Amino acid sequence: MNTNSKSEAYAAAGVDITAGYKAVELMKKHIARTMTSGVCSDVGGFGGLFELDLTGIKKPVLVSGTDGVGTKLKLAFLMDKHDTVGIDCVAMCVNDIICCGAKPLFFLDYIACGKNYPERIADIVKGVSEGCVQSGAALIGGETAEMPGFYPEDEYDLAGYCTGVVDKKKIIDNKQMCEGDVIIALPSSGVHSNGFSLVRKVFDVENSDIKTPLAELGGKSVGETLLTPTKIYVKPVLALLKEVKVKGISHITGGGFYENIPRSIPDGLCAKIEKSAVRILPIFKLIAKQGNISERDMFNTFNMGVGMSIVVPKEDSQKALDILKANGEDAYVIGEIIKSEEKIKIF
């Protein structure tokens, strides 16, 4: 730990440099879990170095993604639980880049806070590190910015950035998608990290009891259920890509089914979703009931229990399901590709 650098004037303005050093020391053990063979730098440098292994890749294409956790962080503040939102941050990035077939290589995070509480920052990074382990990415850098007067002392924001690589000839696009292809659902773990402005309004989380267990949520509280971290789909999808020709992948985030599934569907084709096949999680039924939200709006805001959809040839659908299930995903069919000028129909 750096013990020489200390500014009494800066501390008087609300920024504790030494707290930053302590936070780095506390987070090092978590970051160490994410180290992969490509990492060439230690924590604390001015840049994260990563050596790219191109074995078996003829034309490497780098794929990048960036995102944050959004107002789900409000639940972390209210529940005083900070060691899982980092998983959400990683998930929102790596789940995006896997949609084109990219394997995540490394990740960087950015934490901005009103006051640097080293133990809390370390908890946040613990979650980020867990997300990186789940996705096979190395946490090679980050930044913690203490910003008194800009953020309240007990609040923070969290964002991240990841880079992955894919062989150009293996990039997933929708050019080969055709009528009759099957749409497979990968279950979500809950609300994930989208729609929380509406969720917070529905449950009035700042003024209501969100800590009492509810029978309709399997004995969990609203707060605990909403904080369930976003599922990371990287490893199961990479396993699938090795054996099956995948024609399209959609990460179901903000905008739900209606916005995200069409992003992987070419013009002239449509995703026909069988509504009765969708395994809607209890939390979404509770949101719809308590908020008096229409079914159309629910499917246009939330993932409804489907975190990712994958399009495969009909003849490979059973093989795809078997591979995904062997890799921990209780995947199931929710629809098919049909000819239509509409991009999605939910029946």
Side-chain angles (χ1 to χ4, degrees), residues 20 39-40 50 69 113 203 230 247 258 264 272 285 287 300 328:
V39 179
C40 302
F50 193 90
V69 182
C113 57
F203 291 114
T230 305
K247 297 186 177 184
Y258 284 99
S264 65
K272 179 184 176 183
K285 296 177 182 179
I287 291 170
N300 204 170

Side-chain angles (χ1 to χ4, degrees), residues 44-314:
F46 288 98
L49 306 181
F50 193 90
E51 183 178 4
L52 195 58
D53 181 1
L54 300 179
T55 303
I57 301 177
K58 293 183 178 180
K59 290 188 176 181
V61 176
L62 296 179
V63 183
S64 297
T66 186
D67 209 338
V69 182
T71 63
K72 182 174 185 174
L73 292 176
K74 288 285 189 179
L75 272 298
F77 305 155
L78 291 168
M79 298 293 289
D80 194 22
K81 181 173 174 58
H82 311 279
D83 60 351
T84 61
V85 289
I87 300 174
D88 292 288
C89 188
V90 175
M92 296 306 293
C93 298
V94 298
N95 284 346
D96 274 355
I97 70 168
I98 194 64
C99 288
C100 62
K103 177 184 178 181
L105 297 174
F106 57 82
F107 190 87
L108 295 93
D109 61 12
Y110 175 78
I111 304 168
C113 57
K115 182 175 176 60
N116 187 331
Y117 297 102
E119 290 77 11
R120 178 179 293 180
I121 298 299
D123 264 355
I124 297 169
V125 175
K126 177 183 178 182
V128 173
S129 299
E130 174 59 28
C132 286
V133 169
Q134 290 184 23
S135 61
L139 180 55
I140 64 169
E143 173 71 14
T144 300
E146 190 173 15
M147 302 167 66
F150 193 86
Y151 291 95
E153 280 197 2
D154 289 328
E155 295 192 4
Y156 57 84
D157 199 4
L158 173 63
Y161 161 88
C162 70
T163 292
V165 65
V166 61
D167 198 327
K168 188 173 184 179
K169 67 179 180 180
K170 295 182 179 180
I171 294 175
I172 299 172
D173 55 37
N174 55 26
K175 294 178 181 178
Q176 297 182 45
M177 198 175 294
C178 61
E179 184 179 20
D181 286 341
V182 170
I183 304 171
I184 292 174
L186 300 188
S188 71
S189 56
V191 182
H192 283 185
S193 301
N194 303 102
F196 272 83
S197 293
L198 178 55
V199 166
R200 287 168 43 240
K201 179 181 178 182
V202 166
F203 291 114
D204 189 19
V205 295
E206 284 86 358
N207 302 300
S208 301
D209 176 14
I210 60 171
K211 296 183 179 181
T212 298
L214 300 178
E216 55 261 62
L217 295 179
K220 292 185 177 181
S221 68
V222 167
E224 183 182 4
T225 301
L226 293 176
L227 268 186
T228 302
T230 305
K231 184 181 284 189
I232 292 176
Y233 300 100
V234 171
K235 292 181 180 179
V237 172
L238 287 177
L240 178 66
L241 294 176
K242 291 179 180 178
E243 300 188 53
V244 172
K245 175 61 181 177
V246 174
K247 297 186 177 184
I249 304 179
S250 290
H251 182 200
I252 314 300
T253 55
F257 279 53
Y258 284 99
E259 181 176 325
N260 291 288
I261 293 180
R263 293 168 68 177
S264 65
I265 310 296
D267 292 341
L269 293 179
C270 170
K272 179 184 176 183
I273 305 296
E274 187 179 343
K275 186 168 54 182
S276 62
V278 178
R279 300 172 186 172
I280 300 175
L281 296 175
I283 183 62
F284 296 113
K285 296 177 182 179
L286 185 60
I287 291 170
K289 178 182 177 181
Q290 187 147 331
N292 192 27
I293 302 171
S294 71
E295 186 176 73
R296 175 65 167 74
D297 282 354
M298 289 295 295
F299 273 90
N300 204 170
T301 306
F302 302 107
N303 67 60
M304 300 301 286
V306 178
M308 187 164 279
S309 66
I310 301 177
V311 178
V312 300
K314 185 175 183 179

